[in-house]
Amino acid sequence: MKQLMKRFVPLLTGLSIALTAGGSATASTLDDVMKKRGLTQKDLLAAAKTYTPTGGRDEFLAFASGGQSGQVIVYGIPSMRILKYIGVFTPEPWQGYGFDDESKAVLAQGRINGKDITYGDTHHPAISETDGDYDGRYLFINDKANPRIAVIDLHDFETKQIVVNPFFKSAHGGAFVTPNTEYVMDPAQYAAPLTDEFVPLEEFNDKYRGGLTYWKFDDKKGRLDPEQSFTFELPPYSQDLSDAGKGPSYGWGFTNSFCSERYVGGIERGRPPFEAGCSSKDTDFMHVTNWKKAAELVKAGKVKKVKGSYLISMKQAVKEGLLYLIPEPKSPHGVDVTPDGKLITVSGKLDSHAWVYSFDKIMKAIKAKKFESHDPYGLPIIAMKDVLHTQVNVGLGPLHTQYDSKPCVAYTSIYVDSMVTKWDYCKGKVLDQINIHYNIGHLMTMEGDSKSPDGKYLVSLNKLSIDRFNPVGPLHPQNHQLIDISGEKMELLYDMPLPLGEPHYVVAIAADKLKPAVRYKSGWDSRTDKRSPYKTRAGREKTVRNCDASGKCTVEVFGTTIRSHITPEIIEAEVGDTVKMHFTNLERAQDEVHGFALNGQNVQLSIEPGKTASATFTVEKEGVYPYYCTEFCSALHLEMQGYLLVKPKGYKSTGAAMQAGESLFCGSLFWASKPKQAANTNATVYAYGAPTVLRSLRNHLFAALHNSLSDSTPT
Ligand code: RUQ
Ligand code: CUA
């Protein structure tokens, strides 16, 4: 067939194939299509820049926060095709996330004071870095509402760890990594007591606090290490976005704040509202922290632990020269260090300028102890004029800044004016502006917050999409607009609806830096990244029923899945039993995932090749519960099924013969053996029958049959 097509295609190309069928013509030339769909030359050019033919790959992969969904969204650039949602703070059934025991254990790490929190307000994803460049190994993301950070391993795009901030009650400005992923920055947002006690608002100035946690990343384990992490106690100034220094500013971190007025609202108590009180001063504070030196103090045992975690008091921070404040424009939002690490751009929502600070000047002021004053907590304040490099009028409501591969070129999102401003931060002048559809929040260039941005594309993350897409009810998707930044002028290419929460920030990495696995080592617990203790090999499947002295019984299934068969196909239990199921996917073929859905027990597993996934539950009611594979894995997928039989207590089989359909010629090979009493225990073991050789022969035959079936399926 392929050969045939090869011969035909050249004949057809270049011809106008106007096929007429029953009077309706299929337009087939570019001109026809343009006319019919009302497209311009510019549209076609944009389409050609983003269109990715079947089987094609994207140059970059983007990881967007999933906002309130508590997930991460992965899509390709420039095609803007969504590739995956990664369950992070929220159960996600397709991946079995929050449904299998292994991932439930990850979500359980995110409990707050013993309470399950099954959503997250994710804001800022960050890719791990080596020497200031994205290395494609890990992704971190924060939860603002319930101050937590999650670690996703980009080897398999799965969430491996969730840590809860020991002090904060909210955390917005994380996750931002230091240049070698030594630490992940995670500042508090809304000030609150650092303890769990009630403290009246009247004591706000004295007892409410902000803070900034530096989570230590253990590179060998690929996990954050709460034991080695530390937190700066900060004034109750609503700390906001952060960025880590690099190059000359390596070792330092920068954190914005708003509401340094320390205003407390309470409109119902006759006080002006928060938004008025929190924006009355002309400036707020950038917090400059020396994490390198703080880490040394921690290592030297000079920092005390509070609630089991290192806490650097403001007093200690001032004494050791770890913490400084610099005024910054009213209600600042983004703080972004330039690729060379020499400058820091800050933009204020209520100001039309991007303010560029010089790290060199900051260091000079610190060395000379040149401070204009101290704040009420004794923190030294460096004068803005002493450290300002330049100040550029970029438009009304500037928020975030990203950098280009071209030297000195930056892009800033302009919220109120709904545009992107391209400007030169060395010379301090505007270069170009482009209107975006509506209220841009973050923007992102390819690897644009690393030491060596790739340029090429910019994504504008618009808040609300209003009228961009077909209406789908009062709740609209969000709009990510793709912009070509390879030329002098920015050019809008594409609108992509994102229907999963408000994706505040997104990071994009060159796709060739990622090396995701196609299968797991056999019998793998993907969440702990270790061989699963429940790994089961072909022919070794068994069910074990074990009762303790009090009469409580557990049925434990060591099963496997391979096209097109779940072993075991019949599982028996009694009412009140605890059932533990472990399934290992024996497949080695790429993408041969099997699912496992069980009626009525809230069980849905995703068992990718090599993975072992488990589910534990108690059967409370007698009955017949079918289970089946949830992925259309082969032509006999629907037959990939079985029964969990839950018998009443003390049920005695009548001993009657099976009365079901036809008998299978080789059925006896696969039948379960007679239950055996295991030696020295009171466990009953049901092993699944046929000798290993026969079973694996059978499995191979089945797999071969279905491989041949799926190979002939048209693609
Ligand atoms: S932010 S509001 Cu990154 Cu602009 Cu969360
Ligand atoms: Cu396995 Cu369907």
Side-chain angles (χ1 to χ4, degrees):
M1 188 61 195
K2 265 191 192 147
Q3 283 305 315
L4 218 65
M5 283 307 288
K6 261 191 204 146
R7 251 178 281 151
F8 264 96
V9 168
L11 282 175
L12 299 176
T13 40
L15 290 180
S16 162
I17 330 152
L19 300 173
T20 7
S24 76
T26 311
S28 303
T29 69
L30 216 46
D31 280 348
D32 291 342
V33 176
M34 279 175 74
K35 228 176 268 155
K36 205 168 164 199
R37 300 197 64 210
L39 302 175
T40 63
Q41 284 289 342
K42 216 175 148 222
D43 294 335
L44 284 198
L45 197 58
K49 284 181 181 178
T50 57
Y51 176 69
T52 306
T54 177
R57 300 291 168 92
D58 278 297
E59 191 181 352
F60 296 95
L61 279 203
F63 295 85
S65 114
Q68 306 90 324
S69 77
Q71 302 184 3
V72 163
I73 306 161
V74 186
Y75 62 82
I77 293 177
S79 79
M80 306 303 268
R81 295 176 301 181
I82 293 178
L83 301 171
K84 196 168 215 175
Y85 298 125
I86 305 173
V88 183
F89 297 107
T90 309
E92 200 296 303
W94 169 50
Q95 295 154 70
Y97 188 65
F99 296 87
D100 62 49
D101 293 349
E102 291 80 1
S103 61
K104 275 182 183 169
V106 175
L107 280 168
Q109 297 166 11
R111 282 189 188 139
I112 295 184
N113 295 327
K115 193 172 259 189
D116 283 318
I117 309 282
T118 53
Y119 84 102
D121 183 18
T122 59
H123 276 242
H124 306 106
I127 292 173
S128 57
E129 294 181 7
T130 300
D131 192 22
D133 263 323
Y134 290 1
D135 59 21
R137 298 171 64 216
Y138 296 94
L139 184 81
F140 306 92
I141 192 156
N142 74 315
D143 171 9
K144 167 171 168 169
N146 322 285
R148 302 181 289 181
I149 300 273
V151 180
I152 296 157
D153 191 335
L154 294 179
H155 156 263
D156 60 358
F157 287 49
E158 280 199 350
T159 303
K160 307 291 177 175
Q161 185 189 24
I162 295 174
V163 291
V164 180
N165 195 290
F167 301 111
F168 307 157
K169 308 294 179 281
S170 67
H172 174 248
F176 292 90
V177 299
T178 57
N180 290 299
T181 324
E182 297 95 336
Y183 290 92
V184 178
M185 299 176 76
D186 182 29
Q189 179 117 90
Y190 305 116
L194 297 183
T195 64
D196 290 331
E197 295 154 10
F198 166 73
V199 178
L201 279 167
E202 285 73 11
E203 295 174 42
F204 189 88
N205 288 355
D206 290 341
K207 301 253 178 85
Y208 282 56
R209 288 290 177 265
L212 166 60
T213 298
Y214 281 95
W215 289 101
K216 177 78 191 134
F217 185 63
D218 183 330
D219 196 72
K220 281 210 189 76
K221 292 197 182 126
R223 301 289 185 272
L224 295 168
D225 182 357
E227 288 295 309
Q228 302 304 322
S229 304
F230 59 86
T231 297
F232 280 96
E233 176 201 19
L234 295 178
Y237 292 161
S238 296
Q239 282 77 30
D240 201 33
L241 280 153
S242 302
D243 203 2
K246 52 190 141 209
S249 53
Y250 176 81
W252 293 80
F254 309 94
T255 302
N256 279 342
S257 64
F258 61 88
C259 205
S260 58
E261 291 85 353
R262 295 182 290 169
Y263 183 74
V264 176
I267 202 160
E268 51 293 293
R269 296 184 187 177
R271 294 167 56 79
F274 269 110
E275 71 267 28
C278 280
S279 55
S280 57
K281 284 201 314 172
D282 278 341
T283 55
D284 287 295
F285 290 121
M286 168 157 52
H287 300 59
V288 180
T289 48
N290 187 336
W291 63 261
K292 193 93 200 308
K293 194 163 171 207
E296 283 158 18
L297 289 180
V298 166
K299 216 167 164 206
K302 295 201 176 130
V303 177
K304 281 207 200 98
K305 279 196 168 178
V306 175
K307 290 171 77 187
S309 194
Y310 291 115
L311 182 69
I312 304 174
S313 69
M314 289 192 276
K315 212 166 142 207
Q316 184 177 23
V318 172
K319 191 173 140 245
E320 301 283 355
L322 307 176
L323 174 60
Y324 303 90
L325 299 177
I326 306 174
E328 47 184 12
K330 197 169 183 149
S331 296
H333 196 45
V335 52
D336 301 280
V337 178
T338 53
D340 63 10
K342 291 183 181 165
L343 302 169
I344 303 137
T345 305
V346 172
S347 316
K349 301 188 290 289
L350 300 179
D351 186 89
S352 61
H353 294 85
W355 299 64
V356 185
Y357 295 80
S358 152
F359 181 72
D360 189 46
K361 290 182 180 174
I362 295 173
M363 283 303 106
K364 283 195 177 121
I366 291 175
K367 277 213 186 86
K369 295 201 165 32
K370 190 163 180 246
F371 308 123
E372 66 176 10
S373 61
H374 288 78
D375 86 337
Y377 302 91
L379 309 191
I381 303 174
I382 301 169
M384 193 196 299
K385 61 170 183 0
D386 288 347
V387 293
L388 212 57
H389 163 75
T390 186
Q391 179 191 2
V392 182
N393 192 340
V394 287
L396 207 56
L399 297 185
H400 302 280
T401 296
Q402 290 260 299
Y403 300 98
D404 202 336
S405 52
K406 297 165 201 139
C408 299
V409 176
Y411 301 85
T412 297
S413 53
I414 313 294
Y415 178 81
V416 179
D417 284 339
S418 288
M419 62 183 185
V420 171
T421 296
K422 174 180 177 181
W423 54 287
D424 182 321
Y425 58 83
C426 300
K427 299 202 185 97
K429 64 167 198 225
V430 170
L431 302 171
D432 186 28
Q433 292 183 312
I434 188 171
N435 290 325
I436 54 87
H437 166 244
Y438 192 70
N439 284 8
I440 179 172
H442 276 270
L443 79 182
M444 181 269 297
T445 55
M446 305 304 98
E447 304 199 4
D449 58 13
S450 75
K451 179 181 86 176
S452 49
D454 286 357
K456 296 188 181 183
Y457 303 102
L458 180 150
V459 177
S460 156
L461 285 72
N462 304 345
K463 312 285 181 191
L464 314 182
S465 64
I466 324 255
D467 57 0
R468 282 288 102 162
F469 307 111
N470 294 49
V472 288
L475 182 62
H476 298 226
Q478 301 267 327
N479 186 8
H480 282 200
Q481 293 194 292
L482 181 69
I483 294 166
D484 180 353
I485 55 166
S486 58
E488 294 275 291
K489 297 220 120 280
M490 294 177 276
E491 277 173 46
L492 183 63
L493 297 179
Y494 193 70
D495 283 6
M496 174 175 69
L498 265 190
L500 199 79
E502 185 193 332
H504 294 263
Y505 186 40
V506 53
V507 284
I509 180 171
D512 59 13
K513 284 190 181 173
L514 297 167
K515 305 270 180 288
V518 292
R519 65 182 68 81
Y520 290 106
K521 290 179 196 156
S522 73
W524 205 247
D525 177 338
S526 68
R527 303 291 167 175
T528 58
D529 265 328
K530 291 194 179 97
R531 193 82 64 188
S532 168
Y534 311 113
K535 167 191 172 170
T536 304
R537 295 217 303 257
R540 301 284 176 80
E541 298 91 343
K542 62 180 179 187
T543 299
V544 183
R545 188 160 188 272
N546 217 331
C547 301
D548 65 15
S550 73
K552 283 244 28 107
C553 301
T554 303
V555 173
E556 190 156 20
V557 179
F558 298 84
T560 58
T561 60
I562 188 165
R563 280 160 294 169
S564 305
H565 192 79
I566 300 171
T567 306
E569 297 191 330
I570 298 164
I571 301 167
E572 293 179 89
E574 262 188 26
V575 169
D577 284 1
T578 298
V579 178
K580 291 187 179 180
M581 295 179 162
H582 317 287
F583 286 101
T584 300
N585 184 341
L586 300 175
E587 307 274 359
R588 301 315 283 158
Q590 168 162 318
D591 203 18
E592 272 305 337
V593 54
H594 299 289
F596 180 90
L598 170 63
N599 163 259
Q601 310 293 342
N602 205 29
V603 170
Q604 149 56 22
L605 310 177
S606 169
I607 324 164
E608 296 98 59
K611 192 189 246 188
T612 298
S614 308
T616 302
F617 53 94
T618 306
V619 281
E620 277 122 14
K621 253 178 85 28
E622 67 171 72
V624 173
Y625 302 93
Y627 54 81
Y628 64 97
C629 167
T630 46
E631 294 275 350
F632 209 115
C633 53
S634 68
L636 288 170
H637 149 77
L638 291 176
E639 290 80 353
M640 208 167 160
Q641 58 168 336
Y643 289 105
L644 167 67
L645 304 172
V646 181
K647 299 178 280 189
K649 273 223 174 313
Y651 176 83
K652 288 269 174 304
S653 159
T654 59
M658 278 285 270
Q659 292 182 16
E662 316 272 329
S663 64
L664 198 60
F665 76 99
C666 53
S668 57
L669 286 185
F670 313 129
W671 230 222
S673 64
K674 292 238 168 65
K676 286 193 207 87
Q677 201 67 34
N680 303 327
T681 69
N682 57 352
T684 317
V685 180
Y686 301 80
Y688 297 102
T692 315
V693 184
L694 283 176
R695 283 192 52 83
S696 67
L697 182 68
R698 189 212 59 178
N699 286 341
H700 275 103
L701 282 172
F702 274 27
L705 170 69
H706 301 313
N707 274 334
S708 69
L709 283 176
S710 37
D711 283 353
S712 59
T713 314
T715 46

